[in-house]
Each structure stands twice: as C-alpha cells, then as structure tokens.
Amino acid sequence: MNTLELSEQEILRRNSLEELTKLGINAYPAEEYKVTHYSQDIKEQFDPENENLQDISLAGRLMSRRIMGSASFAEIKDKQGRIQVYFRRDDLCPGEDKTLYNTVFKKLLDIGDIIGIRGHVFKTQMGEISIHVKELTVLAKSLRPLPIVKEKDGKVYDAFTDPEQRYRMRYVDLIVNDPVKDAFIKRTQLMNSMREFFNKCGYLEVETPILQPIPGGAAARPFITHHNTLNMPLYLRIANELYLKRLIVGGFDGVYEFAKDFRNEGMDRSHNPEFTVMEIYVAYKDYKWMMEFTEEMIEKVALDLHGKTKIQVGDQEIEFKRPFKRISILDSIKEHTGYDVSGMNEEQLREVCEKLEIEVDESLGKGKLIDEIFGEKCEHTYIQPTFITDYPVEMSPLAKRHRDNPELTERFELMVNGKEICNAYSELNHPIDQRERFEEQLRLLEKGDDEAMFIDYDFVRALEFGMPPTSGMGIGIDRLAMLMTNSASIQDVLFFPQMRPEKKKEKDGAEKFEALGVPQEWVPVIHKAGFLKVDELKQANPNKVFQDLCGLNKKHKLGLKNPSSEQVKSWLA
C-alpha cells in the first residue's frame, strides 16, 4: 500500500511493526496461546489465598495504558470484559536485557493490539483486582487506531455513535461499545430459548431450500438469480412455509426452521431485505392452540433473557406475561375508524380509504385495501402484546376459512409496540380451495400487484395427497430481538445490515493534472495534500501548495526531487 494513502497513526503503527520484526518478535504468531482464565471469572473468584490465581494466562486487546517509569498499568479487554494489568520492568525482564519493557511495551505497543499475559492476581492499594505480569506475548499488531472513547464522572466523551460507521464497521462497534455485544448475545440466547421450548415439545428442527423455483409462502417481491447449470431462473426464498408444510404431508407432526428470508422491498427501522424468521408447523392443531403456544413461548423468552416479563422498550414498559389481548381485525378497524368494513366490496373499500385520506394504488384488491386501513389507522396503537385475529379471505391465501364465517380466515398476527411480530394460521389443507386462492393471486399479479403470490402447483399436488389439520406460525427474529434488547432500529440487532456502497471522494485522474504540467509522480502527493480536483488546485495559494508538497515528500520519505516554487506557480496559472 502506498504510504500516501495512510494516516499518520497508521504509518507509525507500521513502523512499530517493522521494529518488532527487527527485534525478532513475530507480531502474528501461528502457535496456540493457552488461555487459562477470563477477566470476569478472575474478579468473581479472587481470594488472596486462591492458589488457582497464582499462575494464570489471559489474552485480549490492549485498551489503555498508564506508563510510569519502571512500572506501568494497562487495561486488557477479553470476551468477558476488562481487567487491569500491572507491568513492573524488573519482573517482566528479570535479566539485564530490559527491551521487552522499555522498548516493546512502552514504545512499540499501541491501543488495540492483542497481547497475551501470564502472571498472578492481586489487589492494588486502591482495591482494584489486577494481574501482575511476568510474561508478555504479542499476538496481533493493530495497524489502525481505534476510536478513543473517554469516560469521566460517568459521562462518555468521543463515543463511537455515528450509525453509518457503526453498521459499516461492526467489528469496531463491538470493540468499543460494550452494550452492542450484549445485545447480540441476547439475540442468540433468544433463539436458544425458543429452540429449547420447541425441542421439549418434540418438534424437529429442519432445513429447507433458500434457492427456490417459485417464491411462495408470502406476498412479497422476490430477489431473482440464475442457475447456470440448470439454465433456469431461481428466487431467493421469501418464506419457507410451503416446504415445511410439505414435510407435514410427509408425516412429521411438528417441524420448525430458523431461516434467512429475502424480500426485495424497502428498508427502514423495522425492515431489512435480508432477515431471520422462525416458522413452525404442528399437525392436528388450530390457530387458537397456536395463540396459547405463541404467548407461552414469548413469555419464556422474556423470562430467560431478563428474569421478568415486564420489559422497558423505548418510552414504553411492555408486559409479556400471558394471556395477551385478542381482537379481530374488522373490530379493530371499526373501533379506530368508525367504519364497519365487513362485507364491503372493493369499490366501497376505496371510498373508505378516500374518506380516511389513505392513498392506495389502483392494483390493490380487497385484502390489500383492508390491510392498508389497518396499517394506517390501527396497527401503531397496539403497544402491549395483542393478537389481531380473523382476517378476510382475500388477505390470507394460505389460511383456512373460518369455521363460523367463510368470508374470514383462521389467522392471527401478534402486534407489539405498534409492529407485527408474528403471523399464524389454521393452515389451509383443502387442495381445491388452495388452487382457487392461488388463481386469485395470479389475477392480482396480472393486474399489477408485484407482491401477489405465484402458483406453486407442486404444493397443490402435495395437498392432494392429504395434509392433516395443521397450525403454523412465523415470527420475525429481528423484530423480537429489537424488543428484547430495547433496540430502536433493526440495524442494531443485525451484525452486518445491508448498506449502500461506501461513498468515496471523487478525484481527477493523473492525466488532468499532467495537462497542467504536474509530473506524474507528484499527482498522488497532490491528492494527499487535499487537492482532489484540478479546479481545487488552481484556486489554492501557490506558496502553501509548495510547502505542503515538500513537507509530504520529507515526512513520507518519498525521495522525490522537490519542485521549485516557480514550477508550482506555473501549475496553478
């Protein structure tokens, strides 16, 4: 890499790496470093008489240093947290050669370097549990400086808070912002809690295809790719529902999957085009059973993660103790708008939308129109967990018709904090009804609804072999993680959220500068000086440009022959 592309700190760190190499120290050793203890365990187990803490080894990232002559303190961060370490020159270097302390530790190590230490645990006069270091091993040299987050009197300064940088460089975010790591640990604990619940019930975790010939199981716009060997288009799955129900047809009584799904749609605080969903299907059950199952599962998750069911989410305190409130979608719309939309046709629903000042597209059918009314006027009001039930048939092409009203389906969605968290049905297992529902979706697709479902004839064929009465439920893991970690944005619970490519400052090529008379070898130096475009250079002060270029030539040891001040003036003329 050209040193002109590096910051001053990056150059200094590379110089330190060279010095370590000259001293015979491999800054990236291959051999295993045996770790015997971790920071938090050491603090919890500390006892002056504990012989297990008299010879320990620990590895982690150097996060701070206080150098004080022949003795120094530092702080190391490992997977459990931070712990203070104490270096004494004559203990680290018992012989005549004091290089390891005087040169390596004091001059060549930097904040962010990963080191291994060996020593014994003690308590300082200030009462802080620390490690007295007898051996030091360099394990990885950090060539880029970390953001320095300072704290004084409980107040944080220079925090690494810019979302653009945090999401793009999650690795840095995890190093310097401790609560971020805790949120992702909780996310994994959440999924483990759900797995434990399902496994105790005897349900089988399975895997289904991500690349699918037909994007089925939900109303969404898919991502399309191409399979070269088969010479056919394939879709990244928008849902795993139809494959899981095939397994119920095949004889499994209960199956579930934690799946990555992909929908080529908008991005906001609660939507990401790649997301994680858990779907579960249980034979011989209905949506009423699934409501009780779902609230029991979510209550368990809250207790496993927090030890309580009442959780702070933003400004709201949400109670996850069952049972949850239940209300039908039509009753909810009537309650919040005053309109009884049950039995209305498409034209009447459009009139209601107009009166409610809800803009709707011409391609939307009855189901989507009702969904728009609920989304605009009702959804955001459900802060405490609430099951919205009994959706119209047009909204639910995969759900069984309601046992008491054939215009409705046996379906529920769980709303929490104004957002949908999960979706569930008494699954449609009537193959003729299913085919007709798919054909209606095809009509909507032809009308212009690019989220309407495709017809999956193989799935219909599977139903024709007979699927037992079944209830299924899908829950968004990302949104549930947002709730359980009190995160305001879905990006906060995704390690690597989708982002636009990094914007790089535009700069003119060498040929444009050469047209001014600038020698080719000086163009990168001009760029380093901050003049990325010819127009910027021509507007600059010639004397300043001359001084900057000569200074960079010397600082970076480029070995170029400095131009004269007159030459620089001629470039800017």
Side-chain angles (χ1 to χ4, degrees):
M1 180 183 281
N2 190 328
T3 59
L4 287 171
E5 298 176 17
L6 302 174
S7 68
E8 187 172 349
Q9 270 286 323
E10 289 169 330
I11 292 170
L12 289 172
R13 286 169 181 250
R14 278 166 170 73
N15 291 340
S16 294
L17 176 60
E18 287 181 16
E19 292 301 315
L20 287 169
T21 303
K22 288 177 184 176
L23 290 171
I25 296 173
N26 181 358
Y28 306 97
E31 60 269 20
E32 174 193 8
Y33 187 84
K34 291 187 177 178
V35 174
T36 63
H37 291 73
Y38 298 96
S39 56
Q40 190 58 37
D41 293 339
I42 291 170
K43 293 174 182 179
E44 291 174 358
Q45 297 168 14
F46 177 73
D47 184 323
E49 306 302 319
N50 187 346
E51 294 185 1
N52 292 328
L53 299 180
Q54 296 310 304
D55 184 13
I56 69 159
S57 63
L58 177 144
R61 196 177 291 273
L62 188 63
M63 298 303 289
S64 68
R65 286 190 303 172
R66 299 193 304 279
I67 295 173
M68 302 176 293
S70 63
S72 301
F73 284 97
E75 192 177 40
I76 285 182
K77 181 179 183 179
D78 66 6
K79 71 173 186 177
Q80 291 186 345
R82 303 186 184 211
I83 192 166
Q84 181 171 272
V85 292
Y86 173 68
F87 293 87
R88 188 169 174 270
R89 183 183 58 201
D90 294 338
D91 291 332
L92 188 61
C93 311
E96 298 235 352
D97 185 358
K98 308 296 182 184
T99 304
L100 188 60
Y101 179 81
N102 289 340
T103 304
V104 175
F105 174 72
K106 291 177 71 173
K107 296 178 182 178
L108 302 182
L109 288 187
D110 292 288
I111 303 302
D113 290 352
I114 298 171
I115 61 174
I117 59 169
R118 185 177 174 188
H120 67 268
V121 183
F122 74 107
K123 186 176 284 189
T124 66
Q125 291 180 348
M126 299 297 291
E128 185 163 356
I129 296 169
S130 308
I131 302 171
H132 189 132
V133 180
K134 298 294 180 65
E135 293 180 13
L136 167 65
T137 305
V138 180
L139 298 176
K141 181 71 185 164
S142 172
L143 298 184
R144 286 179 182 262
L146 289 172
I148 302 299
V149 182
K150 302 167 192 160
E151 187 174 343
K152 186 176 181 181
D153 301 327
K155 201 170 182 180
V156 176
Y157 300 89
D158 300 325
F160 187 58
T161 56
D162 177 33
E164 172 82 10
Q165 294 300 310
R166 286 183 54 233
Y167 303 151
R168 202 175 290 285
M169 296 191 291
R170 181 67 83 188
Y171 36 89
V172 177
D173 192 27
L174 290 164
I175 293 169
V176 301
N177 290 327
D178 292 338
V180 172
K181 190 174 181 181
D182 294 339
F184 285 103
I185 290 171
K186 276 193 168 59
R187 180 189 168 107
T188 297
Q189 291 171 341
L190 178 158
M191 295 170 72
N192 288 342
S193 174
M194 293 169 69
R195 275 195 174 95
E196 180 185 57
F197 183 61
F198 302 149
N199 292 342
K200 278 187 177 179
C201 294
Y203 306 140
L204 182 70
E205 183 170 9
V206 298
E207 291 182 304
T208 61
I210 292 175
L211 291 173
Q212 302 181 351
I214 294 172
R221 185 188 305 163
F223 286 93
I224 306 173
T225 185
H226 185 82
H227 194 296
N228 290 335
T229 302
L230 297 176
N231 191 25
M232 62 181 286
L234 288 173
Y235 301 87
L236 295 182
R237 70 175 165 209
I238 56 176
N240 42 344
E241 175 170 345
L242 302 187
Y243 283 93
L244 291 173
K245 287 198 278 196
R246 284 174 170 93
L247 298 180
I248 297 295
V249 171
F252 289 102
D253 271 7
V255 292
Y256 71 93
E257 180 177 16
F258 287 90
K260 280 287 187 183
D261 287 355
F262 308 85
R263 297 182 183 177
N264 200 353
E265 299 168 350
M267 297 170 61
D268 57 33
R269 285 182 168 272
S270 58
H271 293 86
N272 195 66
E274 174 185 353
F275 60 98
T276 304
V277 69
M278 188 291 305
E279 291 198 33
I280 185 167
Y281 294 83
V282 185
Y284 310 109
K285 307 297 184 186
D286 66 2
Y287 82 135
K288 292 182 179 179
W289 176 89
M290 186 59 80
M291 268 189 265
E292 295 179 1
F293 181 83
T294 300
E295 61 190 7
E296 183 180 354
M297 176 194 73
I298 292 178
E299 182 185 67
K300 177 186 184 299
V301 167
L303 288 169
D304 286 350
L305 267 61
H306 300 283
K308 58 183 180 179
T309 58
K310 194 172 283 188
I311 297 171
Q312 192 71 33
V313 179
D315 297 332
Q316 305 288 342
E317 195 171 53
I318 297 180
E319 175 60 85
F320 288 101
K321 186 174 179 60
R322 54 184 168 149
F324 300 162
K325 178 184 174 181
R326 293 159 168 75
I327 184 172
S328 77
I329 188 170
L330 299 181
D331 286 343
S332 175
I333 290 173
K334 187 175 180 180
E335 181 181 296
H336 288 92
T337 69
Y339 289 97
D340 184 354
V341 299
S342 59
M344 284 189 180
N345 59 31
E346 187 175 317
E347 185 179 340
Q348 291 169 321
L349 288 168
R350 288 188 183 279
E351 289 176 5
V352 170
C353 288
E354 188 176 345
K355 290 174 183 175
L356 294 173
E357 298 181 345
I358 299 173
E359 290 187 19
V360 291
D361 191 88
E362 286 298 318
S363 66
L364 301 188
K366 280 179 63 177
K368 285 288 186 73
L369 291 169
I370 292 172
D371 195 29
E372 287 291 323
I373 295 170
F374 178 78
E376 286 284 329
K377 300 299 179 181
C378 311
E379 185 175 295
H380 64 278
T381 67
Y382 294 107
I383 304 301
Q384 298 303 320
T386 304
F387 289 119
I388 307 298
T389 69
D390 303 339
Y391 286 67
V393 169
E394 294 82 2
M395 293 181 68
S396 315
L398 295 167
K400 185 172 284 189
R401 290 180 188 271
H402 199 284
R403 65 197 74 178
D404 299 322
N405 184 346
E407 298 297 312
L408 305 176
T409 58
E410 296 200 347
R411 173 185 176 186
F412 71 79
E413 289 185 325
L414 177 61
M415 301 291 165
V416 184
N417 202 35
K419 294 290 181 185
E420 173 209 337
I421 299 301
C422 79
N423 189 18
Y425 316 141
S426 292
E427 299 295 336
L428 177 58
N429 61 343
H430 192 309
I432 297 173
D433 190 359
Q434 181 64 83
R435 179 187 286 269
E436 290 172 352
R437 305 263 200 102
F438 276 151
E439 288 170 350
E440 173 59 27
Q441 288 290 302
L442 185 60
R443 282 190 284 274
L444 291 174
L445 194 64
E446 291 168 349
K447 191 178 174 182
D449 185 351
D450 58 5
E451 292 186 350
M453 289 188 191
F454 289 54
I455 298 181
D456 188 336
Y457 289 109
D458 179 70
F459 176 66
V460 175
R461 179 171 62 185
L463 291 184
E464 289 173 348
F465 281 95
M467 184 176 85
T470 298
S471 184
M473 181 266 291
I475 186 164
I477 297 300
D478 307 321
R479 287 192 183 177
L480 185 58
M482 286 172 64
L483 289 171
M484 293 296 170
T485 60
N486 193 12
S487 299
S489 170
I490 196 170
Q491 284 80 15
D492 292 329
V493 294
L494 301 174
F495 270 128
F496 305 106
Q498 197 67 45
M499 301 189 73
R500 295 184 189 278
E502 266 186 281
K503 286 184 179 178
K504 292 187 178 179
K505 290 184 178 179
E506 293 184 11
K507 58 184 178 184
D508 289 337
E511 66 282 355
K512 288 194 175 183
F513 288 93
E514 288 175 44
L516 301 179
V518 178
Q520 185 179 23
E521 65 270 20
W522 279 98
V523 174
V525 190
I526 287 173
H527 283 159
K528 179 67 174 179
F531 306 108
L532 302 182
K533 291 184 171 290
V534 165
D535 289 344
E536 294 172 356
L537 179 64
K538 294 183 79 171
Q539 293 171 15
N541 182 304
N543 291 328
K544 184 180 185 307
V545 174
F546 171 73
Q547 292 170 358
D548 287 349
L549 296 183
C550 294
L552 287 169
N553 188 22
K554 180 179 179 181
K555 179 179 178 181
H556 291 272
K557 301 176 183 175
L558 301 177
L560 299 175
K561 182 181 178 182
N562 285 331
S564 67
S565 59
E566 293 303 315
Q567 280 180 294
V568 173
K569 285 179 183 177
S570 71
W571 301 343
L572 277 62

